[in-house]
């Protein structure tokens, strides 16, 4: 590549990264664990792709390059799909896949199908860098947790360790004495290892010259190898839990997971060696081009491109890209006007929007045809004019898209990176006496592994009892609250997951209604208010009656007895019943800040679900003013008085 080519490559990279910067930056933060994502292998994925291209450099030089105009729609589909998943879709994983589609379309457009037969792998390999959506993660992780826990229990018993399993929790015994259980949490479920090891296996399959069927076998066996290595990891942790308990948690716990890369690599290498030894029919390997052939090919290109680059070609290419992007953007907005009538006002809807959309599509097709006719060459060799205008056109598309995206987000006030909000009061400051309920005890701090699974260090577990309950019929509840802020597409650990992981048998899962009542509540012009004993002031209550999720399950130690737990979320000034609602409805794209708090209440002395809801409503009627006093007051946040007032107060002498 000459100096001019490097400049164009830098411009294309700047435009592409700039357009997708929001997603790329979020993935970097997740990979570096700033949001607790534990997706660090994503940092290595692009470099593996670059190394693959370096390996194939001679083959790529020998291949013919041409402008492939049918790839332009693929580029636009990827770009507008990316915008869709920013808003209203709000899905990081699908933003990443859209980015990969756009990159595929851009490379195919600029280099043509011949080169894409080599370059498809490093592009699609980027899929392993995209973090799996938390809801999909949970569905897969739960199955992997069970496989890891049950398989590790079998191995431990074979090794002479007395171990049993309930759900994904392994109970260990030493000399007949029960030890602290080993919970195979999501961090140990193998999904994170599965993605990293799948990337490792796929890389080893394609970084070496192998037959297609050998590569297919290696790719298919990445999942079993990852699961097997993870079973080994859990087994080692189980042994450490018995003989060296201090090594079974904390940093060494993570170090054991890191060590598992060694046996995984050895297993992939061994698999590759076995496949190489299998006798197969003679398959002629592609002959790498010689230096003389490359020189001859370069000479042909030079002869085919004898003209120096003209500024007019660059201007034509960039302007063509800008015009195409503008027409495609107008079509995209008009499509929104048709699908969501009234989004741009009553004047642009119905038949008018449909008519304008048809006209804009016709103009887009006609404009594309004119640009294609002006840049099409009758020769098979790529002309200097074609090469320059196509790269300039791609650059124009990316920068026009970047400016358009920024303009749309600015016009709509969309905030891509939400700022965190600190708690007003720490949860442990909540009063021991709340109305008719008194504290029995506060749970001890959770282990580092469980905190990692929970996803936050801001939590509280506490048991309260109803003071007016008769001695023979006690009424106690377990309260658990967990606070999250500034996190991307995060779904908190919910009871219907952790209870089953502990060995509980699900009975039912559905929605119920929680009603708040009492003299501490009053309705004003500002909405519902409640008096807090903690702060001695009124706090805003989003609703007095709202939906929540209720999970009923059979208790592991008493399979004939059931229990219920009710949970919901306080998110940006509203109550939401499910994790999906938190992700889809919890935050306005224009909000500067974002937070949500999981509130979970479990009656300990009630089996009947209907009675359980009544107990929960009674407890929350007294507890919600104190919980909301700890959370940021969303009315004050919207008015701009929080957290500004807190910061100002701290600066005062």
């Amino acid at each position: 590549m000459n100096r001019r080519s490097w400049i164009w490559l830098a411009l294309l990279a700047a435009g592409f990264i700039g357009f997708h910067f929001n997603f790329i930056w979020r993935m970097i933060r997740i990979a570096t664990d700033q949001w607790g994502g534990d997706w660090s292998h994503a940092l290595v994925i692009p470099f593996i792709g670059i190394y693959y291209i370096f390996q194939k450099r001679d083959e790529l030089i020998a291949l013919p390059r041409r402008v492939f105009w049918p790839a332009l729609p693929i580029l636009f589909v990827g770009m507008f799909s990316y915008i869709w998943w920013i808003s209203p879709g709000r899905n990081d994983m699908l933003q990443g896949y859209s980015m990969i589609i756009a990159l595929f379309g851009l490379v195919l457009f600029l280099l043509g199908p011949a080169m894409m037969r080599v370059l498809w792998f490093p592009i699609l390999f980027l899929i392993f860098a995209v973090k799996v959506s938390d809801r999909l993660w949970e569905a897969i992780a739960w199955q992997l947790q069970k496989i890891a826990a049950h398989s590790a229990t079998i191995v431990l018993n074979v090794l002479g360790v007395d171990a049993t399993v309930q759900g994904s929790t392994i109970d260990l015994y030493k000399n007949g004495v029960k030890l602290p259980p080993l919970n195979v949490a999501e961090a140990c479920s193998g999904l994170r290892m599965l993605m990293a090891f799948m990337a490792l296996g796929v890389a080893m399959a394609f970084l070496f010259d192998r037959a297609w069927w050998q590569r297919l076998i290696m790719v298919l066996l990445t999942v079993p190898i990852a699961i097997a290595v993870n079973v080994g990891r859990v087994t080692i942790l189980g042994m450490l839990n018995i003989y060296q308990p201090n090594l079974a948690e904390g940093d060494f716990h993570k170090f054991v997971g890191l060590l598992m890369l060694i046996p995984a690599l050895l297993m992939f290498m061994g698999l590759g060696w076995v496949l190489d030894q299998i006798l197969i029919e003679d398959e002629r390997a592609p002959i790498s081009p010689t230096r003389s052939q490359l020189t001859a090919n370069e000479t042909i290109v030079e002869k085919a491109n004898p003209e120096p680059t003209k500024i007019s070609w660059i201007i034509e290419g960039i302007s063509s890209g800008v015009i195409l992007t503008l027409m495609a953007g107008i079509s995209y907005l008009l499509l929104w006007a048709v699908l969501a009538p009234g989004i741009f006002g009553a004047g642009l809807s119905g038949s008018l929007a449909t008519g304008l959309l048809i006209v804009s599509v016709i103009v887009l097709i006609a404009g594309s045809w004119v640009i294609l006719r002006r840049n099409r060459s009758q020769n098979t060799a790529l002309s200097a004019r074609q090469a320059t205008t196509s790269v300039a056109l791609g650059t124009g598309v990316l920068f026009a898209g970047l400016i358009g995206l920024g303009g749309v987000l600015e016009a709509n006030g969309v905030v891509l990176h939400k700022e965190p909000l600190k708690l007003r009061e720490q949860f442990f400051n909540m009063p021991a006496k709340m109305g008719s309920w008194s504290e029995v005890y506060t749970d001890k701090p959770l282990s580092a592994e469980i905190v990692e699974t929970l996803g936050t260090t801001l939590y509280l577990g506490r048991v309260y009892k109803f003071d007016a309950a008769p001695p023979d019929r006690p009424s106690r509840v377990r309260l658990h609250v967990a606070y999250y802020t500034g996190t991307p597409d995060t779904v908190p650990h919910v009871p219907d997951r952790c209870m089953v992981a502990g060995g509980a048998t699900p009975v039912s899962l559905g929605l119920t209604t929680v009603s708040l009542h009492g003299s501490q509540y009053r309705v004003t012009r500002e909405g519902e208010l409640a008096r807090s004993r903690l702060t001695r002031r009124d706090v805003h209550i989003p609703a007095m009656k709202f939906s929540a999720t209720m999970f009923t399950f059979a208790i592991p130690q008493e399979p004939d007895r059931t229990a219920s737990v009710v949970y919901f979320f306080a998110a940006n000034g509203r109550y939401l019943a499910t994790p999906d609602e938190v992700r889809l409805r919890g935050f306005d794209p224009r909000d500067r800040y974002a937070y949500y708090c999981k509130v979970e209440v479990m009656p300990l002395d009630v089996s009947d679900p209907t009675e359980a809801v009544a107990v929960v409503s009674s407890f929350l009627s007294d507890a919600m003013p104190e919980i909301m006093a700890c959370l940021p007051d969303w009315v004050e946040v919207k008015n701009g008085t929080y957290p500004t007032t807190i910061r100002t107060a701290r600066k005062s002498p």
Side-chain angles (χ1 to χ4, degrees), residues 249-266:
E249 56 185 21
D251 293 336
F252 194 82
H253 177 100
K254 297 180 179 179
F255 181 66
V256 171
L258 185 62
L259 284 178
M260 291 298 104
L261 286 171
I262 298 176
L265 179 61
L266 293 176

Side-chain angles (χ1 to χ4, degrees), residues 228-272:
V229 173
N230 190 55
V231 170
R233 177 192 185 189
V234 176
T235 302
I236 292 174
L237 291 174
M239 299 293 289
L240 290 175
N241 208 41
I242 293 177
Y243 300 107
Q244 293 290 336
N246 58 315
L247 297 180
E249 56 185 21
D251 293 336
F252 194 82
H253 177 100
K254 297 180 179 179
F255 181 66
V256 171
L258 185 62
L259 284 178
M260 291 298 104
L261 286 171
I262 298 176
L265 179 61
L266 293 176
M267 292 175 73
F268 282 123
M269 293 177 63
L271 175 61

Side-chain angles (χ1 to χ4, degrees), residues 214-336:
Q214 291 177 319
R215 288 175 171 171
L216 179 61
I217 291 176
M218 291 194 70
V219 170
L220 292 177
L221 289 180
T222 53
V223 176
I225 288 176
I227 293 176
V229 173
N230 190 55
V231 170
R233 177 192 185 189
V234 176
T235 302
I236 292 174
L237 291 174
M239 299 293 289
L240 290 175
N241 208 41
I242 293 177
Y243 300 107
Q244 293 290 336
N246 58 315
L247 297 180
E249 56 185 21
D251 293 336
F252 194 82
H253 177 100
K254 297 180 179 179
F255 181 66
V256 171
L258 185 62
L259 284 178
M260 291 298 104
L261 286 171
I262 298 176
L265 179 61
L266 293 176
M267 292 175 73
F268 282 123
M269 293 177 63
L271 175 61
W273 181 85
V274 170
L275 292 174
D276 289 340
Q277 305 309 308
I278 296 177
L279 181 64
I280 59 175
E281 295 181 3
D282 182 28
E283 295 183 1
R284 296 187 180 276
I287 301 175
S288 300
T290 63
R291 179 55 54 187
S292 59
Q293 289 173 319
L294 294 177
T295 304
N297 185 62
E298 291 169 357
T299 303
I300 293 174
V301 173
E302 290 174 1
K303 289 180 179 179
N305 301 284
E307 302 176 78
T309 301
K310 295 181 180 179
I311 299 298
S312 60
W313 299 345
I314 299 176
I315 295 175
E316 180 182 353
I318 292 177
S319 60
S320 298
V322 172
I323 292 171
L324 282 176
T325 306
L326 179 62
M327 292 189 297
I330 292 174
S331 299
Y332 175 78
L333 294 177
L334 288 172
L335 178 63
W336 259 107

Side-chain angles (χ1 to χ4, degrees), residues 398-611:
L398 293 175
F399 279 95
L402 173 60
I403 295 172
L405 174 61
V408 170
L409 296 179
E410 182 70 23
N412 290 278
V414 175
V415 179
L416 295 178
H417 300 285
K418 306 295 186 183
E419 295 184 30
L421 281 169
K422 292 185 178 180
L423 285 171
R424 220 175 240 290
E425 296 283 346
Q426 296 299 317
F427 288 133
F428 56 76
N429 289 333
M430 289 174 57
K433 174 74 172 176
M434 297 191 301
S436 302
W437 297 81
S438 299
E439 177 188 349
V440 178
Y441 62 86
T442 298
D443 292 340
K444 295 180 179 179
L446 301 174
S447 67
E449 288 72 29
I450 296 181
V451 169
E452 181 183 3
T453 301
L454 185 64
T456 180
T457 58
L458 302 173
Y459 65 89
L460 174 71
R462 187 177 285 179
V463 172
Y464 285 86
K465 66 180 180 67
F466 185 55
D467 296 333
D472 58 334
R473 290 196 61 189
S475 181
R476 299 169 300 158
V477 298
R478 176 180 295 279
L479 169 68
H480 174 77
V481 288
Y483 184 73
Y484 305 80
T485 181
T487 54
D489 188 30
T490 299
V491 178
H493 199 64
V494 290
D496 39 293
R497 284 292 318 282
C498 62
M499 298 291 185
V500 177
T505 302
V507 174
S508 64
L509 177 68
L511 297 181
T512 188
T513 300
V514 174
S515 299
L516 306 180
H517 52 81
S519 59
Q520 65 271 36
Y521 295 95
R522 58 193 179 90
V523 180
T524 68
R525 293 181 179 180
E526 297 182 1
E528 288 84 6
L529 296 176
R531 192 71 178 177
S532 166
R533 295 189 178 188
L534 174 62
T535 60
R536 301 180 185 276
R537 67 182 187 88
D538 289 338
V539 295
H540 289 91
I541 302 296
M544 300 284 290
K545 190 174 184 179
F546 53 90
S547 295
T549 300
M550 184 168 72
F551 174 59
T552 303
F553 58 95
I555 301 175
Q557 296 79 10
E558 305 175 56
D560 295 334
R561 180 169 167 247
T562 62
S564 298
V565 57
V566 175
Y567 68 90
F568 60 96
F569 304 91
N572 278 24
R574 65 182 70 181
Y575 293 143
L576 301 171
T578 67
D580 286 334
E581 288 187 348
V582 172
R583 185 175 64 82
L584 295 175
R585 298 179 49 233
F587 316 115
D588 189 312
R590 294 164 292 185
D591 290 338
R592 177 182 174 186
Y593 300 96
Y595 81 87
Y596 58 91
C597 175
K598 179 184 69 171
V599 181
E600 174 186 321
V601 182
M602 176 180 171
L604 300 179
D605 305 298
V606 176
S607 296
D608 180 64
T610 302
E611 186 179 352

Side-chain angles (χ1 to χ4, degrees), residues 322-379:
V322 172
I323 292 171
L324 282 176
T325 306
L326 179 62
M327 292 189 297
I330 292 174
S331 299
Y332 175 78
L333 294 177
L334 288 172
L335 178 63
W336 259 107
V338 172
L339 296 178
I343 190 172
F344 299 115
L348 186 61
S349 60
S351 58
L352 176 60
T354 303
L356 291 176
L357 175 61
I358 295 173
V359 172
S360 68
V361 171
I362 293 175
V363 172
L364 175 61
I365 295 174
S368 302
W369 182 82
V370 171
I371 293 173
L372 173 61
R373 290 281 297 177
R374 284 186 57 82
N375 291 277
R376 176 178 289 178
S377 174
Q378 300 299 323
N379 301 322

